[in-house]
């Protein structure tokens, strides 16, 4: 009799290996309320990976507002809300002079001028 290879048996995750979540495409992405869910056709918050399909996902990086600014619907677009000095903004993309992401306290999604933010100190 030939010895059975260890590779031919079922794989058992070791206790230190985290369980991997698998996603499947089961149809079109369900509609999201995009003013409080950071998702675009090209980029989305990694936390939406199971609910929204995008070719790229990003892990939000917390930055701080330097002196107060407006959160805009689009670059140089309609005002959606304000960021107070010291308030945190979760950055998903930096493109030129603009940052796209969401206000940390309530998830309001929009664009903020890059000059109005600075990287938040590490906790």
């Amino acid at each position: 009799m030939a010895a059975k290879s260890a590779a031919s048996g079922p794989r058992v995750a070791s206790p230190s290996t985290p369980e991997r979540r698998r996603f499947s495409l089961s149809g079109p992405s369900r509609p999201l309320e995009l003013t409080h869910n950071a998702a675009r056709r090209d980029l989305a918050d990694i936390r939406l990976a199971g609910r929204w399909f995008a070719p790229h996902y990003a892990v939000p990086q917390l930055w701080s507002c330097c002196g107060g600014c407006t959160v805009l619907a689009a670059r140089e677009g309609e005002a959606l809300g304000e960021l107070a000095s010291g308030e945190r903004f979760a950055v998903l993309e930096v493109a030129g002079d603009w940052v796209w992401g969401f206000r940390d306290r309530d998830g309001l999604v929009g664009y903020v001028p890059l000059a109005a933010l600075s990287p938040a100190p590490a906790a």
Side-chain angles (χ1 to χ4, degrees), residues 27-112:
S29 295
R30 293 189 173 94
L32 291 174
E33 200 273 297
L34 297 177
T35 58
H36 287 87
N37 287 288
R40 303 185 317 211
R41 296 182 83 189
D42 63 330
L43 177 66
D45 183 342
I46 190 69
R47 294 172 293 180
L48 297 175
R51 300 186 305 151
W52 181 267
F53 175 77
H56 304 283
Y57 296 94
V59 175
Q61 302 297 309
L62 290 178
W63 288 37
S64 294
C65 184
C66 300
C69 67
T70 303
V71 178
L72 305 174
R75 294 178 186 114
E76 301 177 21
E78 166 192 2
L80 297 174
E82 298 294 321
L83 271 180
S85 182
E87 191 168 4
R88 297 187 315 176
F89 191 77
V91 174
L92 294 167
E93 178 188 56
V94 177
D97 294 335
W98 293 93
V99 171
W100 181 70
F102 56 93
R103 192 166 52 189
D104 188 45
R105 72 176 148 98
D106 63 359
L108 179 66
V109 177
Y111 291 86
V112 171

